[in-house]
Amino acid sequence: MHLPRGDELAVLHRLPGWLTRRLSRRDAAPRSHSGVLPPITPSGHGMARAWDSLCGDVLPSAFATDHPRYLAFVGGAPSTASVLADIAIGASSVYAGSVLEAGGVVAAETAALRWLADLAGLPPAAHGAFVSGGSMANLSALVAARHHRTGDREAPSIIVAGATAHSSVRAAAAIMGCELLAAGSPDHPLTGVALSATLDALDPARVVAVVASAGATNTGAIDHLDRIAEVCRQRTLWLHVDAAYGGAALLDEHHRGLFTGIEAADSITIDPHKWLFTPYECAAVLYREPAAARAAHRQHAPYLDAVNDDVADNPADYAVHLSRRAHGLPLWTSLIANGTEPYGAAVAQCLRTACYAANRIRTTAHLDLSADPSLSVVLFQRRGWSDTDYASWSRHARAAGLGLITPTRHAGRTALRLCIVNPLTTEQDIDLILDSLS
Ligand SMILES: Cc1ncc(COP(=O)(O)O)c(C=O)c1O
């Protein structure tokens, strides 16, 4: 089962052609799944059958997130270089948890983390790790915050987050046995005043951290980070900024100013697998003071003594994980291959497409913009439509291969939401979608 057999070598020879076709045709519409999976049997069916099922039926039935009209949730459109690196990583059986096992890998990931930390304006000592996703990054940061703030006292147990915070923050609070208190309103960015009003009613010793969003998932809104950072500084509270989606817009000179204050965060989440053109699973958790995170996350056991040393900076020490894939290497490879400029240009392209969509909605009689777009999220309504109309249009658009666009709620009303994180999404793609709503 280990060294390649003849049928596996035959598939290996087909791989370059398959990959070239896949990466050159990102706009292929999903095919419906046959509904028939080969049964799992004692002797197997051979690699040719497994491959045909995988690449001819199972994978093409997914609505690929790099399709230019995948505009639901927060998609992701990996660069070709990052996909190639991802394949190499999978084939290389790298354990990327420690310097002992993979020093060069850790060095390359550290360089990519440094780029992200510099983007956010964190100090030179800031560091962290790449993890599987934003949910894991948020959880890891909050666990570090609690550990840091506990000291000799009873562990604090309240997480205060803006009401726009991603659902993973509530999940993290539940995992940690903490209470989540929402500050401000779900439809507007969190302000310093609203945060202070929530905190005034609390004993600061009970607060694990304040979570602010830099690019709320539903609206794209950026909380008032400079005022929030000031409130946290005055009260000596840990500030975690969730920039999982929005952090990419730090690359855009016209949007960078909206993030002022992020540089004061104690921890930050940025997910390259969202808007920095990297395959799943790649999310960064960054800490202003890495030692605090290491104290929280390093695992101890006799069999780990060989890697637990304070000179080697092991990625395993900075999050809720031990064994790990080299999540950050595809980003690093793509940065080395392409340089940073195309990243800024690709983010700016998405922002321009979002503006185009908003303008088209403004000038279309039967469509109403729910709010001015924030970052690359556009929320709008189709006049006269009920919740059922939105749901059935969305289902039909998916089934017809038009696009993946799902409804959400905003300001108490159902709305359609476009989240544009793919520079290959064109104005014609937006026209196709909006024209189908007539
Ligand atoms: C702002 C924000 N934070 C966290 C997450 C969770 O990230 P993941 O799905 O990678 O776990 C998301 C996902 O969309 C998000 O938009």
Side-chain angles (χ1 to χ4, degrees):
M1 213 170 76
H2 285 85
L3 297 177
R5 298 178 311 237
D7 59 340
E8 289 167 332
L9 285 171
V11 167
L12 206 48
H13 288 127
R14 286 163 60 191
L15 187 58
W18 180 86
L19 253 182
T20 309
R21 283 192 300 281
R22 161 69 188 107
L23 295 177
S24 313
R25 281 294 321 275
R26 310 270 179 117
D27 59 350
R31 286 189 235 145
S32 40
H33 180 233
S34 67
V36 184
L37 295 173
I40 297 172
T41 62
S43 52
H45 303 279
M47 190 59 205
R49 169 112 190 256
W51 180 260
D52 288 345
S53 185
L54 176 71
C55 296
D57 187 28
V58 173
L59 289 174
S61 70
F63 209 115
T65 63
D66 59 1
H67 187 291
R69 292 188 300 278
Y70 182 115
L71 303 178
F73 314 113
V74 183
S79 68
T80 299
S82 66
V83 173
L84 296 177
D86 204 47
I87 294 165
I89 293 161
S92 298
S93 302
V94 170
Y95 172 96
S98 78
V99 170
L100 174 75
E101 285 137 300
V105 170
V106 175
E109 284 196 299
T110 300
L113 285 167
R114 186 71 260 142
W115 180 66
L116 292 171
D118 287 346
L119 206 55
L122 288 176
H127 186 47
F130 287 102
V131 295
S132 59
S135 304
M136 192 51 95
N138 285 341
L139 173 65
S140 298
L142 291 170
V143 168
R146 178 169 64 182
H147 189 276
H148 182 63
R149 287 183 55 76
T150 298
D152 299 333
R153 292 176 280 114
E154 192 188 334
S157 61
I158 298 175
I159 295 169
V160 177
T164 63
H166 185 260
S167 50
S168 59
V169 175
R170 182 169 297 282
I175 292 165
M176 294 167 68
C178 291
E179 183 186 348
L180 182 73
L181 277 188
S185 124
D187 299 316
H188 300 286
L190 177 64
T191 63
V193 172
L195 175 62
S196 297
T198 303
L199 292 174
D200 282 345
L202 296 175
D203 170 2
R206 295 189 56 216
V207 177
V208 173
V210 168
V211 181
S213 299
T217 314
N218 204 36
T219 59
I222 300 174
D223 291 342
H224 296 192
L225 301 178
D226 50 349
R227 297 297 308 129
I228 291 169
E230 181 59 17
V231 170
C232 291
R233 196 191 57 74
Q234 283 163 358
R235 300 177 192 233
T236 337
L237 293 175
W238 180 293
L239 171 60
H240 175 66
V241 175
D242 182 355
Y245 149 65
L250 281 160
L251 284 165
D252 186 69
E253 55 175 340
H254 303 295
H255 287 78
R256 203 180 153 73
L258 298 172
F259 292 84
T260 301
I262 194 171
E263 69 287 348
D266 295 288
S267 54
I268 300 177
T269 293
I270 301 185
D271 288 10
H273 72 196
K274 292 188 166 61
W275 199 4
L276 285 173
F277 320 114
T278 308
Y280 297 111
E281 300 171 338
C282 181
V285 55
L286 297 163
Y287 303 98
R288 166 177 299 277
E289 288 179 25
R294 209 162 51 227
H297 288 297
R298 175 177 283 180
Q299 298 183 23
H300 298 276
Y303 41 81
L304 293 176
D305 287 349
V307 290
N308 280 349
D309 86 57
D310 286 326
V311 180
D313 226 351
N314 295 324
D317 289 347
Y318 295 104
V320 185
H321 59 198
L322 182 63
S323 299
R324 63 182 288 279
R325 186 178 173 86
H327 301 286
L329 266 194
L331 172 66
W332 175 82
T333 308
S334 184
L335 286 169
I336 296 297
N338 295 306
T340 57
E341 277 173 15
Y343 279 78
V347 167
Q349 176 60 39
C350 298
L351 290 162
R352 273 196 299 277
T353 309
C355 277
Y356 173 82
N359 285 334
R360 262 232 46 195
I361 292 162
R362 277 192 196 99
T363 55
T364 304
H366 55 277
L367 301 178
D368 291 317
L369 208 54
S370 310
D372 285 335
S374 286
L375 298 181
S376 64
V377 174
V378 183
L379 290 165
F380 65 104
Q381 270 117 9
R382 165 69 168 83
R383 281 197 196 156
W385 272 18
S386 66
D387 289 3
T388 323
D389 293 326
Y390 285 111
S392 68
W393 175 84
S394 172
R395 265 197 312 276
H396 180 261
R398 196 245 182 257
L402 170 66
L404 195 70
I405 304 108
T406 49
T408 184
R409 304 274 303 166
H410 179 258
R413 296 177 65 194
T414 302
L416 285 172
R417 175 178 168 284
L418 310 176
C419 180
I420 298 158
V421 291
N422 186 345
L424 298 180
T425 303
T426 60
E427 295 180 357
Q428 291 70 34
D429 289 313
I430 299 298
D431 290 344
L432 263 179
I433 291 165
L434 298 183
D435 289 348
S436 79
L437 291 158
S438 56

